[in-house]
Amino acid sequence: MAPTDSDFATLRRLAEDRWTCRQFRPEPVERATIERLLGLAQRTPSWCNTQPWQVVVTEGEGTERFRKELLTYIQSHGTAPDFEFPAEYAGVYKERRRTCGFQLYDSLGIVKGDHEKTMRQMVRNFEFFDAPHVAIVTSEADLGVYGAIDCGLWLENFLLGAQALGLGAAPQAALASYAPFLHEYFGLPEHRKVVFGVSFGHPDLDHSVNSFRTARAPLDDQVTWHTA
């Protein structure tokens, strides 16, 4: 089928409307719907068609037990991601990160300096924002950074697919920060490296934390044209 302007418009709308859900309703997503979503993400392109992503998906009691045991683990263990986290956020990257953080805290009525409530919101990452499902995505160690990049492409398709299905999703590097626990809990071999997690389910659209949207920089800030 030849591409059309309406195809582009649909993709543009999904990309513009997509947002990170930070509060979910408790009811699970039907397995058939999750499989549709995963099937779409499986169409992701990858280097030499290696398809490096492997995905663990929780549901039902599997999610509840995972949530409980992860919360217990983080209380007595430090972070240890398989992939190095950013060394720092400086300049415009720091500004964008701070703006997003202020939007989040403002939506919840958390004032600057309220360390107790700020910490409580941080812990919400490890409660999966009450989502009924979590996906843990890993890549093959030998594929290095390019395997992780391919997993990032998988994530974009997953997020847009969730948006198209009326679902909410929260991509979470925070879950990858406790990689040793994930390896042991899910029986992941050492040659599989945890890239990120995604909490997903039906969004609670009445919750204030889901009311804000982040902005994107103009193209002139991001693109350099060479014409000669």
Side-chain angles (χ1 to χ4, degrees), residues 91-220:
V92 68
Y93 310 113
K94 181 178 181 179
E95 293 173 14
R96 292 170 183 166
R97 185 171 185 259
R98 284 168 56 86
T99 297
C100 180
F102 288 144
Q103 287 182 279
L104 169 61
Y105 298 140
D106 286 347
S107 74
L108 293 166
I110 300 175
V111 299
K112 185 177 181 180
D114 191 332
H115 301 297
E116 181 178 349
K117 288 186 178 180
T118 298
M119 180 59 67
R120 178 69 190 114
Q121 182 58 32
M122 184 279 291
V123 172
R124 292 289 290 148
N125 280 280
F126 306 103
E127 295 173 341
F128 319 139
F129 308 115
D130 298 332
H133 307 281
V134 179
I136 300 297
V137 180
T138 67
S139 180
E140 192 68 24
D142 288 345
L143 297 179
V145 65
Y146 290 102
I149 288 172
D150 288 340
C151 289
L153 295 175
W154 180 96
L155 175 62
E156 176 70 359
N157 279 341
F158 184 93
L159 296 177
L160 291 179
Q163 182 70 25
L165 291 170
L167 300 176
Q172 294 177 265
L175 301 185
S177 65
Y178 290 94
F181 172 81
L182 300 178
H183 278 274
E184 180 177 357
Y185 188 84
F186 291 113
L188 302 173
E190 284 303 308
H191 62 86
R192 298 300 307 179
K193 299 302 181 183
V194 179
V195 189
F196 53 77
V198 189
S199 297
F200 67 99
H202 298 285
D204 182 351
L205 298 177
D206 294 327
H207 198 287
S208 62
V209 77
N210 288 330
S211 64
F212 75 92
R213 299 292 182 267
T214 55
R216 293 297 180 270
L219 285 181
D220 287 347

Side-chain angles (χ1 to χ4, degrees), residues 13-83:
R13 176 179 56 79
L14 290 171
E16 290 183 342
D17 290 349
R18 190 213 65 79
W19 50 283
T20 296
C21 181
R22 292 181 175 86
Q23 182 61 51
F24 295 87
R25 304 202 311 263
E27 63 266 28
V29 179
E30 292 185 359
R31 172 74 72 85
T33 300
I34 298 176
E35 290 178 344
R36 286 182 67 197
L37 178 54
L38 294 171
L40 173 69
Q42 190 60 26
R43 298 305 306 170
T44 298
S46 58
W47 187 310
C48 298
N49 198 32
T50 51
Q51 304 172 57
W53 50 84
Q54 292 285 322
V55 188
V56 176
V57 180
T58 70
E59 60 182 352
E61 184 57 33
T63 302
E64 297 312 311
R65 180 170 171 261
F66 177 38
R67 187 177 357 246
K68 179 180 178 181
E69 296 200 19
L70 177 58
L71 283 168
T72 299
Y73 181 89
I74 68 172
Q75 292 173 15
S76 57
H77 294 79
T79 58
D82 283 341
F83 290 93

